[in-house]
Amino acid sequence: MLRVFVLLIFNVNAYCMYLNWTSHDRPNIVMIMSDAFDGRLTFQPGNKVVQLPYINYMRELGSVFLNSYTNSPICCPSRAAMWSGQFVHLTQSWNNNKCLHPNATTWMDDLRKSGYHTHSMGKLDYTSGHHSVSNRVEAWTRDVPFLLRQEGRPVTDLVGDASTKRVMIKDWTITDAAVQWIRNTTASLTQPFALYLGLNLPHPYRTDSLGPTAGGSTFRTSPYWLNKVSYNQVSVPKWLRFKDMHPVDYYSTVTKNCSGHFTEEEIRNIRAFYYAMCAETDGMLGEVMAALRDTGSLNKTVVLFTSDHGDLAMEHRQFYKMSMFEGSSHVPLLIMGPGVKSGFEVSLPVSLVDIYPTVLDLAGVPQTGGLSGHSLIPLISRVSIHSAEPHPAWAFSEYHGCNANTSTYMLRIAEWKYIAYADGLNVPPQLFNLSKDESELRNIASQFPDVCQDLDKLLRSIVDYPSVSKSVHRYNKQQFLEWKQSLGDSYSQVIASLRWHVDWKKDAKSYERDIDEWLLGLD
């Protein structure tokens, strides 16, 4: 009778999926967030290319989301969306330097207020004021009509030998600390705990030979992890000719230093090394899972694994992120734990803003107002749950940072991916049918104008993207002008020393004139 009563109360309130748990017996929550992990590797056929035993374990014992997307394919804005539960245009998280205020409320704050013992470790990266000067200047000047290489050419670096397991020492150190925290602290806790672990892998390493301002263009691993990759499964992606590229994609290819010649061996090696870095990330996930198991916490803990964005790994003649193509925007999302369906796949498009309301539901905390996301619990709960606000059929992402010369907006629904740019007038949209064109090589926007019109209408119901684009444009000019004025007489020297210095110094005066004309132009 008591169990039936609890079930009735649960169906009325729908706060928590754990039907017979009291407020003192809520689940522990552990979230591992990697950096630049391609979500397509977490299910078939992508998972055939590299051994990821712990991700496979999560998939078998939990639920995997087959169409999970970042809300902005770059580190800080993506994480700002995940932590705040709001789309980046609502928090004005425009680039890696402009994100949330340090005092912004996160879902971890809500858990702590509700009685959880909370602990965050590793890469957080969701507040303003971080990342390199070069990174922010490149974002501010993306409207300037010049084309400069901003990144190092992607390269590979094999280190150690077949016994070298620890390549990314920084991540292993923080993983060790998380494991020790689980083993030494959680047993004595009288309340449930929430642990966040942020990793840097499989983000490429900084290319040290290019100097202190260099970005991450080195794919580094050891034979130990490379042996986890099925090299015969590593594909060499097809590239469009330069003249057939969308103008924004062409800009990205050049600024990412990928417009030169690459041999098939180079491309395949870059991709294989990237997959090996994903395998090392999976190894760290395994360490956390082992600690939870050994302490008897695993069966009382909901574990989430995701990433801020993916990596193109030479698809579309690009590496890195900053793109709405699948390799960049599609992120992993796996959830396992008590009450979660096992071996279950969710095809509905979801995104990182859904994590905030999902975590609140897991903890039995009433939903916070003003969130952009929706709880995923009704989709994966073993018990049928009625949601007052069902998850919409779409996922939304936007991008306003460097390596793309205009604001970009993506809507993913059913088989369609619709990408709009700027004000929706001056840059043509892209439309892909992912059920027929998984590689996204055929932009069919001109062939399906009615579909584009319908999807654009839906997109505008989510965001007034022409107005947002205009706001970002004004912000970029204002920030650049303030930065330029702060440098005084050293401006020419400083701007010439940024990551684009190789190309800049070929015609420095001309590029400075381009910027001056841009600053004087109409908004």
Side-chain angles (χ1 to χ4, degrees):
M1 290 295 295
L2 176 61
R3 217 172 149 76
V4 172
F5 176 75
V6 173
L7 278 168
L8 291 172
I9 294 297
F10 171 82
N11 285 328
V12 171
N13 293 291
Y15 280 160
C16 182
M17 65 188 294
Y18 300 94
L19 309 187
N20 57 345
W21 288 11
T22 70
S23 60
H24 300 289
D25 194 24
R26 295 179 291 173
N28 305 310
I29 299 171
V30 173
M31 177 173 171
I32 298 96
M33 187 172 209
S34 58
D35 191 325
F37 200 113
D38 185 344
R40 298 172 299 174
L41 298 177
T42 62
F43 51 86
Q44 292 188 4
N47 63 345
K48 294 180 180 179
V49 75
V50 59
Q51 297 174 32
L52 303 172
Y54 301 104
I55 285 176
N56 290 341
Y57 179 79
M58 287 193 67
R59 189 178 69 248
E60 291 170 5
L61 295 186
S63 296
V64 58
F65 291 83
L66 304 180
N67 293 292
S68 178
Y69 290 88
T70 178
N71 297 108
S72 188
I74 193 170
C75 304
C76 196
S78 172
R79 293 165 186 268
M82 186 278 292
W83 282 111
S84 71
Q86 294 183 298
F87 294 138
V88 300
H89 65 271
L90 299 178
T91 61
Q92 298 183 359
S93 299
W94 301 137
N95 56 57
N96 266 345
N97 183 61
K98 172 68 171 69
C99 286
L100 300 184
H101 188 276
N103 294 328
T105 299
T106 69
W107 50 263
M108 194 67 92
D109 295 323
D110 285 349
L111 293 186
R112 183 169 54 253
K113 292 174 184 176
S114 75
Y116 270 74
H117 183 97
T118 61
H119 193 51
S120 296
M121 310 178 72
K123 185 170 186 177
L124 296 173
D125 196 20
Y126 65 89
T127 57
S128 297
H130 305 289
H131 291 267
S132 69
V133 172
S134 191
N135 189 271
R136 66 191 73 163
V137 173
E138 292 157 9
W140 295 335
T141 58
R142 63 183 190 160
D143 291 332
V144 181
F146 52 50
L147 203 53
L148 304 169
R149 291 173 293 175
Q150 300 169 2
E151 307 289 349
R153 178 184 170 95
V155 295
T156 59
D157 182 27
L158 188 64
V159 299
D161 55 33
S163 65
T164 304
K165 183 177 180 180
R166 298 192 168 213
V167 179
M168 187 12 137
I169 301 301
K170 183 176 181 180
D171 275 358
W172 281 108
T173 300
I174 200 66
T175 299
D176 290 343
V179 166
Q180 289 304 310
W181 186 84
I182 292 171
R183 295 185 186 278
N184 298 335
T185 303
T186 60
S188 62
L189 295 177
T190 58
Q191 73 262 55
F193 65 84
L195 172 66
Y196 167 87
L197 173 61
L199 302 174
N200 292 280
L201 277 183
H203 191 291
Y205 295 77
R206 192 178 75 180
T207 305
D208 294 330
S209 63
L210 299 179
T213 64
S217 58
T218 296
F219 293 82
R220 178 176 297 138
T221 193
S222 70
Y224 178 90
W225 295 112
L226 205 54
N227 287 336
K228 310 293 183 184
V229 179
S230 299
Y231 199 79
N232 62 339
Q233 295 285 332
V234 179
S235 63
V236 175
K238 182 180 178 181
W239 292 347
L240 295 177
R241 296 174 299 179
F242 287 132
K243 67 177 184 178
D244 296 327
M245 285 183 173
H246 187 276
V248 175
D249 297 330
Y250 177 74
Y251 178 91
S252 297
T253 290
V254 174
T255 57
K256 292 178 182 179
N257 203 356
C258 290
S259 57
H261 175 70
F262 289 84
T263 66
E264 284 197 5
E265 183 181 14
E266 281 183 285
I267 297 168
R268 185 173 276 113
N269 283 341
I270 288 170
R271 291 172 66 75
F273 276 55
Y274 170 70
Y275 297 142
M277 294 160 70
C278 292
E280 187 175 359
T281 309
D282 181 74
M284 297 173 195
L285 170 63
E287 294 293 315
V288 175
M289 303 279 274
L292 291 170
R293 179 198 62 210
D294 294 346
T295 56
S297 298
L298 189 58
N299 63 349
K300 297 179 290 185
T301 302
V302 175
V303 181
L304 300 90
F305 177 79
T306 189
S307 185
D308 54 355
H309 50 75
D311 193 297
L312 287 163
M314 302 310 291
E315 293 179 9
H316 302 280
R317 203 176 187 125
Q318 297 180 43
F319 77 111
Y320 244 12
K321 54 273 187 177
M322 301 113 165
S323 167
M324 294 303 173
F325 287 129
E326 287 290 285
S328 166
S329 64
H330 196 144
V331 298
L333 182 57
L334 300 100
I335 304 177
M336 64 168 282
V340 178
K341 290 180 180 179
S342 298
F344 189 65
E345 296 181 343
V346 180
S347 59
L348 185 75
V350 301
S351 66
L352 293 179
V353 291
D354 296 323
I355 287 177
Y356 197 133
T358 299
V359 168
L360 294 190
D361 258 5
L362 289 170
V365 178
Q367 292 293 325
T368 301
L371 298 180
S372 302
H374 295 72
S375 174
L376 303 176
I377 297 306
L379 302 177
I380 60 173
S381 173
R382 291 178 180 171
V383 177
S384 178
I385 298 175
H386 171 73
S387 176
E389 281 191 60
H391 196 289
W394 49 263
F396 166 69
S397 187
E398 59 191 298
Y399 183 67
H400 309 285
C402 59
N403 295 108
N405 55 345
T406 189
S407 288
T408 307
Y409 307 86
M410 185 272 283
L411 188 65
R412 178 76 171 88
I413 182 169
E415 71 270 32
W416 301 112
K417 178 186 284 188
Y418 176 70
I419 307 172
Y421 300 91
D423 59 1
L425 299 173
N426 295 316
V427 182
Q430 296 202 76
L431 178 69
F432 299 101
N433 184 330
L434 296 187
S435 67
K436 298 179 179 179
D437 179 25
E438 293 181 355
S439 299
E440 299 170 290
L441 294 172
R442 297 189 297 275
N443 175 16
I444 54 177
S446 62
Q447 301 172 39
F448 293 90
D450 292 344
V451 173
C452 288
Q453 184 176 9
D454 290 344
L455 295 180
D456 194 75
K457 182 178 179 181
L458 175 58
L459 178 62
R460 289 172 188 259
S461 73
I462 300 165
V463 54
D464 180 2
Y465 70 85
S467 296
V468 172
S469 298
K470 197 170 187 178
S471 296
V472 177
H473 177 77
R474 288 174 176 170
Y475 163 83
N476 287 341
K477 276 194 176 184
Q478 176 189 356
Q479 292 298 305
F480 181 85
L481 187 59
E482 291 178 5
W483 175 75
K484 178 183 179 183
Q485 292 171 343
S486 72
L487 295 174
D489 294 338
S490 64
Y491 164 71
S492 294
Q493 178 183 354
V494 173
I495 198 168
S497 67
L498 301 180
R499 294 192 297 188
W500 54 33
H501 63 92
V502 173
D503 287 349
W504 184 277
K505 291 176 181 177
K506 294 176 182 177
D507 199 356
K509 293 298 182 183
S510 175
Y511 296 134
E512 284 196 36
R513 284 196 301 271
D514 289 339
I515 288 179
D516 291 340
E517 292 174 4
W518 166 67
L519 290 172
L520 292 172
L522 296 175
D523 288 334

